[in-house]
Amino acid sequence: MTPATQGSIPIWRDERFWKIAFQIITLVVVVAVLSLLITNLNRNLAQLGLRFGFGFLSNQAGFSVGENLVNYQPQDQYQKVIYAGLINSFRLIVVGIILATITGIVAGVASFSENWLVYKISRAYVGLVRNVPLLLQLFFWYFAVYFALPPVQDQLEMGWVVMSKRGIYLPGPSLTDQNWLGLLLLMGAGLLGALLWKLISDIRQGDRSFRGLVYRGINGLVALSVIGLEIWLIIRGVGYLVSPQDSETNSLPVGVGIWFLGMAAIAIAAFLLWQQRTRLMVEQGTSGQPQLMAIGGLVAVFVVILLFGLGWQPPTIQEGGGASGGLRLSLEYAAALSGLVLYTGAFIAEIVRAGIQSVSKGQWEAARSLGLPSGLAMRLVVFPQSLRVIIPPLNSEYMNLAKNTTLAFAIGYPDLFSVSFTTLNQTGRAVEMIVLIMFIYLIFNLLISVGMNQINALVQLKER
């Protein structure tokens, strides 16, 4: 008997064997359960005379939608009404995230105010709004606030703001529905760009083992699909954004929406200059004044375009009631946006407060020893350091906001959830529609998560 044979371990006592065996058993169980569920689903669909598939989306929808940016008509196909609902949900998510972030930061910073009234208002807002269910708040904003507005004949006119049961009119850029749609598509392209950036980074940093090559190959296939969708979004978005307001009367070949592209280019240039300035100051000890002056110039151009390039116009009062021009918000959209912004903003305020408290007291004292007042100490010293703690939980709040938009269905806002359930009721395709809704919201949250992870990586400390 050889020494190797003497030292061999029985297979039932080999830890590596049982680890592999457990994984194989788990995989077999998962596959068996999925097979059972799929077989059961197909059997039930067969008994109903149905077959799993999405071919029904090419049938005529036959129902109208209260508001949409894609010029949907009842005679269009189901896939177009799904697209209209998706765009409605996306614009609610985008605007909601922006406004909730502003609201949360203001309320969170106000909780450190030395002004007694400001501090109490901040704490009362967070304590009240966080502890009331969101659905109840949506009902409050819709039925008790916006639906209680007077009829068109007795509309409220407060300067540049006009409110009635027909909607809320605010000063806004002179953009058409197509321009707004283009802007939303380009925002979606931006979020998709973050996913593409992560995929490319993973491919470049992957190891050369067999598992690493398989992983890189899968990422490469996904990246190719994302690149195709990215190109489509950019082409369609730019096309919609630069299209003129009125092709019959406007002599310009493009609309004011093209200025948004200029503003985006300026913002990117300013960001790159800021990064270069920081690098030069850290690595070479320069003052960074030339870059700072260039950034100031870019900001000035940005403000000029923002004020004078977008064709801002207030609502125009019509004779006999009503208004035209400006930016119109439907009652359903305004109520959904108000509820989501204030509800999510209260949670973000607590995240901001926790992030600021995580900064050591010595940083406050160091800032004050330099003669900085409390406001500048917060803005220049404490708040930037707190971002490392604030951004990770913000990711969860943004994803919660995206999922909570489905509650807008309760007040009649035609979001993705609403139009999908109308489609479900008309076609009887419950499984397909539920799968479709779950997939789209999964993509929404995946894009938010990837984008926030990229931002989080930018603000984290980097050790050399």
Side-chain angles (χ1 to χ4, degrees):
M1 183 177 292
T2 63
T5 307
Q6 289 176 347
S8 62
I9 302 174
I11 193 170
W12 58 88
R13 297 180 60 187
D14 190 337
E15 186 178 352
R16 291 177 301 174
F17 167 77
W18 286 111
K19 284 183 178 177
I20 297 173
F22 179 75
Q23 293 182 49
I24 293 175
I25 293 171
T26 305
L27 180 62
V28 169
V29 170
V30 170
V31 171
V33 170
L34 287 177
S35 301
L36 178 64
L37 292 175
I38 293 173
T39 303
N40 188 45
L41 171 65
N42 288 328
R43 186 187 303 118
N44 291 335
L45 289 176
Q47 289 176 354
L48 296 173
L50 301 174
R51 187 175 181 182
F52 185 84
F54 294 92
F56 68 94
L57 292 178
S58 59
N59 297 337
Q60 181 176 323
F63 65 92
S64 59
V65 172
E67 55 183 301
N68 70 90
L69 297 179
V70 300
N71 194 27
Y72 162 77
Q73 301 297 326
Q75 60 269 24
D76 289 330
Q77 298 173 340
Y78 282 117
Q79 54 192 1
K80 189 165 185 178
V81 75
I82 299 294
Y83 180 47
L86 189 152
I87 292 295
N88 282 346
S89 291
F90 188 61
R91 66 176 177 142
L92 190 58
I93 292 171
V94 170
V95 180
I97 286 177
I98 294 172
L99 296 182
T101 304
I102 296 172
T103 304
I105 291 176
V106 170
V109 173
S111 64
F112 293 90
S113 175
E114 297 173 355
N115 186 304
W116 181 85
L117 182 59
V118 172
Y119 170 78
K120 287 297 181 183
I121 290 176
S122 168
R123 302 313 302 158
Y125 156 65
V126 172
L128 175 64
V129 175
R130 275 206 322 164
N131 295 304
V132 177
L134 175 58
L135 184 59
L136 189 60
Q137 293 188 42
L138 292 179
F139 285 147
F140 168 78
W141 282 107
Y142 184 64
F143 291 109
V145 178
Y146 293 111
F147 203 70
L149 290 173
V152 177
Q153 298 79 9
D154 302 322
Q155 62 188 6
L156 298 176
E157 300 173 7
M158 299 177 291
W160 288 348
V161 179
V162 179
M163 296 191 295
S164 69
K165 284 190 183 299
R166 185 173 292 178
I168 300 170
Y169 293 82
L170 305 169
S174 53
L175 299 179
T176 63
D177 286 351
Q178 279 201 336
N179 295 149
W180 286 115
L181 177 60
L183 193 59
L184 288 171
L185 291 181
L186 289 178
M187 288 181 180
L191 286 173
L192 208 59
L195 175 60
L196 186 60
W197 180 268
K198 183 179 185 308
L199 289 171
I200 293 175
S201 299
D202 290 345
I203 293 172
R204 293 177 59 188
Q205 297 171 3
D207 55 44
R208 296 188 177 276
S209 65
F210 176 74
R211 182 184 297 178
L213 290 175
V214 172
Y215 185 66
R216 292 166 74 180
I218 295 173
N219 278 346
L221 292 175
V222 176
L224 287 176
S225 304
V226 173
I227 289 173
L229 182 57
E230 180 83 7
I231 293 173
W232 182 86
L233 285 173
I234 292 175
I235 292 175
R236 295 297 295 267
V238 171
Y240 284 139
L241 189 60
V242 303
S243 63
Q245 285 75 21
D246 190 343
S247 58
E248 296 181 354
T249 59
N250 194 341
S251 58
L252 295 174
V254 295
V256 298
I258 194 173
W259 289 113
F260 280 102
L261 298 179
M263 293 167 66
I266 291 173
I268 294 172
F271 176 74
L272 294 177
L273 270 175
W274 182 267
Q275 279 197 322
Q276 184 189 18
R277 176 176 181 266
T278 304
R279 182 172 54 81
L280 291 175
M281 291 174 67
V282 172
E283 296 180 356
Q284 302 180 13
T286 61
S287 64
Q289 285 297 321
Q291 291 79 16
L292 188 61
M293 293 175 64
I295 292 172
L298 289 175
V299 171
V301 175
F302 187 93
V303 173
V304 169
I305 294 177
L306 179 65
L307 294 179
F308 304 105
L310 302 184
W312 290 86
Q313 56 179 220
T316 304
I317 308 299
Q318 294 181 338
E319 189 176 351
S324 61
L327 184 64
R328 176 185 175 273
L329 306 179
S330 68
L331 299 185
E332 292 79 12
Y333 181 79
L337 188 63
S338 301
L340 286 169
V341 166
L342 291 177
Y343 184 77
T344 310
F347 287 90
I348 293 177
E350 286 299 89
I351 292 173
V352 171
R353 190 170 71 90
I356 293 173
Q357 284 182 332
S358 70
V359 179
S360 67
K361 191 177 179 181
Q363 296 296 313
W364 283 99
E365 294 171 349
R368 285 170 179 151
S369 68
L370 294 174
L372 294 177
S374 298
L376 283 179
M378 172 69 78
R379 185 162 60 88
L380 300 178
V381 179
V382 177
F383 190 76
Q385 296 185 64
S386 68
L387 288 177
R388 295 193 297 272
V389 177
I390 290 174
I391 289 179
L394 268 187
N395 190 1
S396 298
E397 290 306 321
Y398 290 164
M399 289 194 291
N400 284 337
L401 187 146
K403 290 180 285 188
N404 286 337
T405 56
T406 55
L407 293 176
F409 165 68
I411 56 175
Y413 179 67
D415 69 332
L416 174 66
F417 193 76
S418 173
V419 299
S420 296
F421 260 74
T422 304
T423 303
L424 185 157
N425 290 328
Q426 287 192 353
T427 61
R429 297 284 189 166
V431 177
E432 290 89 342
M433 290 310 302
I434 294 296
V435 169
L436 186 61
I437 295 172
M438 291 171 61
F439 177 75
I440 292 175
Y441 277 100
L442 177 65
I443 296 298
F444 275 153
N445 283 332
L446 178 63
L447 293 179
I448 291 173
S449 179
V450 171
M452 291 301 294
N453 286 339
Q454 298 294 326
I455 296 174
N456 187 41
L458 291 176
V459 301
Q460 293 299 318
L461 290 176
K462 296 178 177 59
E463 298 181 357
R464 297 182 180 179

